[in-house]
Amino acid sequence: MKKEQFLDLLKTKVLIMDGATGTELQKKKYLDGVVIPEELNIKFPERISDIYSSYVNAGSDIILANTFGANSIRLKHHGLLDKADDIIREGIALARKTGSGKDIIVAGDISSIGEYIHPLGVLSFNEAYESFAFQAKLLQKYKADIIVIETMTEIKELKAAILAARDNFDGAIIAQMTFSKDGVTVTGNDLTSFIAMAESLGVDALGLNCSIGSRDLADLAKTLCENTKLPISFKPNAGVPVLINRETVFQETKEEFIESALKAYSYGVNMFGGCCGTNPEFIKALSGELKNKVPNKRVVKNRFYLSTRVKAIDINELAKPVIIGERINPTNRKKLQEELLKGNFSLVKDEARLQTEAGTNLLDVNMGVPGADETKLLSEAVNQIQEIVSVPLCIDSSSPKALEEAVKNCAGKPLINSVNGEEAKLLSILPLAKRYGAVVIALTTDDNGIPKTAEGRLNIAKKILEYADKYGVPRKNIVFDFLVLSVSSSPEQVTETLKAVKKSKELWPECKILLGVSNISFGLPSRQTINSTFLKMAVDAGIDFAIINPHENWGIFDPLAKELLENKDKGAVKYMEAFASYKKQALPVEQEKLPIDRQLYFAVLRGNKESVPDIVNKIISDNAEAFKTVNGAVLEALNLVGEKFASKEYFLPQIIMSAEAAQTAFAVIKKLLKKEADASASTGKVIMATVKGDMHDIGKNIVCAVLESYGFDVIDMGINVDSQSIIDKAKEIKPLAIGLSALMTTTMPEMEKIIKLMTADNIDTPVIIGGAAVTQKYADEIGADAYAKDAMDTAKYVKSLKP
């Protein structure tokens, strides 16, 4: 039976499943002479045929073949692995033969391995997957109509079973779990976590079976019906078993069972059967009441679930923004890096607890440690975090391999952080999101970097959606990040980001929106004032998620910060007056009487680029050594700017303004001086590049501006630059130095690759590296010539190289 036929049946009529197999076999003493029930298929086929027949005659539409424990691990444990093919072939064939002429649907039955997956047990996820895949392949080979995964108590094992079935079987898949009456499994999985995870993995129906009696299971069925649109199966025990005279007795009557089944039917259940303690009489009664009835329609709330192994959260019901804690990240955290390299996750678990206690809704997990096995670290971090906190995870890596292992081991429905408009990313990450049912963060950047306009970012968003449609990723599982740039270096970009947020809500209301907030205040004092003010503006624009530090004060809303964010405070002058005791000074009248070189010095020092052209032109007209005068005044001013920056008297806005003033001075003198003087204006060529895989360029751009202000001829190769392209450019122009930037730990290895390529090609140009995650230690390890913590450090080093 094709999947579509089965699902069409469920839309039009109620189907009756079979009853208990195990307790019936025990009652009839049919288990004598076999190691496990599945061995009956090949050793005593008449016994299992008798069970099948009794349920077919009672009115069952669906018979579960006797393959319950026929996975490779269980069969191997009982010495029957070499009989697996025969066991599953005969299990299906016997059910098919018994139901011949009665349109019986034969279900391949899959259940627990009997061992827990790490960290609850020693079994790896891949081992569990392979065991279930072995079974699913044989069920496909021998043409089971559907697969029923049942009596599962641990959601991670269920995940492995679903993936294995979906990968190796082309019929419909029903996933059933076993709960106590409070809706929790013995390992702590709750009903909503089951719904969220199983739905996300693309099962065709959900169900409940075993463990408790029909009355309690009917209450859980009501919750299931209210929270999923998928068809639902209902297979309760005949009550909770009790021991009477040393015999297991199921005390629920057939009448009580039917009463509960009718209640479950009223909620919208599509399939009915029985589990332990039920028998053909129970199924006959079910069939008489419910067979072929039209399923009741259900009203299901619009949910957007993210989940862990113990619970799900509905994003649609949470106040906005939904907080994603950013603290599980080793970037710029030396102690955390050291502990992770030792395999110690204590700090990671502490951060998880503390952020959860502070009210975060999700946790971003990044394990990009230079020199470490990120795939191993990220997977283990996920395993450990999800055992101590109940909030869903945002799994953060640029490595598809690391993402897949981590998402695979995540016992729930997580966020993937992230994909972007780059072709290679779309082709590698979207299939992961589809396969594992994850929600994916989509950054609106591509090979050309971050567009400067809202329209450009929306165009990338549109491209990502087209690819998502192609790979079958639901649009509701796309969360756009329209990217936050520093207001100090890109003040006009704040408005563009918020404009993109608002427009996206109009264009694609089914997609949610996220912003990482802390970038906005880079290089400014009182950063939280800006961060918190921006967050309020972003929420008003329509964001759903925010990546933040939950320990900060997010109740601040400052009018000066708002004015800065709206680009109404040019150069952050008002903001700096209030928060950094800085005041941009115009040249007082008495200073106009200063020597002309001092006028230029103060203009650069204070970032008054508007006055620079007149001053430089006057120097040119009055001074035979104009370039020497301009160069001396500008560099002296920039040196003091660097000192003020180091002492935190100046911040990034002052650095940028002074650099722009210096660039203006050199631009004027280059234009007006003779060619020979112009040639002397360059103090050397410097290559700057953000390495392959990294789309960040704020820091690099600042370095370029400062180097140019010192008179260096900067060849800015941009972002995401291929290593060989940098080598080729170095051979071509023979620069004074090569500057490499990387913001992410995952792209830092490209720096080492470039240095190795240079060594192989006998290129001895000095290499200076920098970026948020880069350290002096890392520079030493990979053989870089220098490490720079900021633009002024870079300029200082490059100046020392002048011939």
Side-chain angles (χ1 to χ4, degrees), residues 429-443:
I429 304 300
L430 288 178
L432 286 183
K434 169 62 177 175
R435 173 169 170 73
Y436 295 100
V439 176
V440 62
I441 297 171
L443 310 181

Side-chain angles (χ1 to χ4, degrees), residues 638-660:
L638 288 177
N639 287 336
L640 183 55
V641 168
E643 293 173 12
K644 288 178 177 289
F645 180 67
S647 65
K648 297 195 181 302
E649 183 181 347
Y650 272 18
F651 292 86
L652 192 56
Q654 288 81 57
I655 290 287
I656 292 173
M657 287 190 296
S658 291
E660 288 177 347

Side-chain angles (χ1 to χ4, degrees), residues 339-354:
E339 292 301 304
L340 289 172
L341 286 170
K342 296 175 188 175
N344 185 345
F345 289 84
S346 297
L347 292 178
V348 169
K349 290 187 284 189
D350 287 344
E351 279 291 4
R353 289 191 193 95
L354 290 170

Side-chain angles (χ1 to χ4, degrees), residues 29-73:
K29 301 189 184 306
Y30 279 178
L31 293 175
D32 294 346
V34 294
V35 179
I36 55 173
E38 292 77 14
E39 194 180 8
L40 290 169
N41 300 347
I42 55 174
K43 199 168 185 180
F44 301 109
E46 69 281 358
R47 297 181 187 178
I48 202 67
S49 289
D50 181 47
I51 301 296
Y52 288 163
S53 295
S54 66
Y55 287 124
V56 171
N57 293 334
S60 292
D61 299 302
I62 301 172
I63 296 294
L64 273 66
N66 186 33
T67 60
F68 183 89
N71 57 73
S72 62
I73 291 176

Side-chain angles (χ1 to χ4, degrees), residues 523-787:
L524 288 163
S526 189
R527 293 188 64 177
Q528 190 56 25
T529 301
I530 298 170
N531 292 345
S532 182
T533 301
F534 175 71
L535 181 59
K536 175 65 168 59
M537 295 168 67
V539 170
D540 289 344
I543 68 166
D544 301 283
F545 298 88
I547 300 179
I548 64 171
N549 180 348
H551 304 303
E552 298 283 3
N553 177 9
W554 294 96
I556 304 168
F557 188 78
D558 185 86
L560 285 176
K562 181 174 183 288
E563 193 171 337
L564 171 65
L565 291 163
E566 292 174 338
N567 202 20
K568 295 176 182 176
D569 179 13
K570 303 295 183 182
V573 173
K574 293 180 183 178
Y575 183 83
M576 298 300 291
E577 286 177 6
F579 292 98
S581 301
Y582 170 83
K583 186 174 182 179
K584 181 179 176 181
Q585 302 173 28
L587 285 173
V589 174
E590 57 268 27
Q591 285 197 2
E592 292 178 358
K593 298 177 182 178
L594 291 173
I596 193 69
D597 63 325
R598 291 293 86 189
Q599 291 181 34
L600 180 59
Y601 167 82
F602 282 113
V604 173
L605 181 66
R606 291 162 181 160
N608 293 327
K609 71 174 183 179
E610 298 84 0
S611 62
V612 166
D614 287 343
I615 295 172
V616 173
N617 281 325
K618 190 171 182 181
I619 290 172
I620 290 170
S621 63
D622 295 347
N623 195 323
E625 295 186 324
F627 176 75
K628 184 178 179 180
T629 301
V630 169
N631 193 57
V634 168
L635 295 186
E636 183 185 356
L638 288 177
N639 287 336
L640 183 55
V641 168
E643 293 173 12
K644 288 178 177 289
F645 180 67
S647 65
K648 297 195 181 302
E649 183 181 347
Y650 272 18
F651 292 86
L652 192 56
Q654 288 81 57
I655 290 287
I656 292 173
M657 287 190 296
S658 291
E660 288 177 347
Q663 284 177 293
T664 301
F666 284 122
V668 172
I669 201 164
K670 283 182 178 181
K671 184 177 179 181
L672 297 179
L673 287 178
K674 296 178 181 179
K675 288 184 179 180
E676 58 269 23
D678 184 43
S680 69
S682 174
T683 54
K685 294 178 179 179
V686 179
I687 290 175
M688 289 295 303
T690 299
V691 297
K692 181 69 177 175
D694 206 310
M695 300 295 175
H696 300 85
D697 64 358
I698 295 175
K700 173 186 65 65
N701 291 347
I702 293 169
V703 173
C704 289
V706 170
L707 286 175
E708 286 178 346
S709 70
Y710 275 97
F712 292 102
D713 183 5
V714 178
I715 293 85
D716 183 0
M717 297 186 69
I719 61 171
N720 190 30
V721 184
D722 180 74
S723 301
Q724 190 59 50
S725 298
I726 296 171
I727 300 301
D728 293 343
K729 180 60 71 172
K731 289 179 180 177
E732 176 190 342
I733 68 170
K734 296 180 175 52
L736 185 65
I738 298 173
L740 302 176
S741 174
L743 182 71
M744 303 182 297
T745 53
T746 50
T747 58
M748 286 165 53
E750 285 292 321
M751 294 174 161
E752 183 176 14
K753 180 179 177 182
I754 292 165
I755 290 171
K756 287 181 177 178
L757 286 172
M758 290 176 64
T759 302
D761 276 356
N762 295 314
I763 301 172
D764 58 2
T765 304
V767 175
I768 182 168
I769 66 173
V774 179
T775 62
Q776 181 65 59
K777 181 174 179 291
Y778 185 69
D780 295 339
E781 288 174 354
I782 68 172
D785 296 278
Y787 157 71

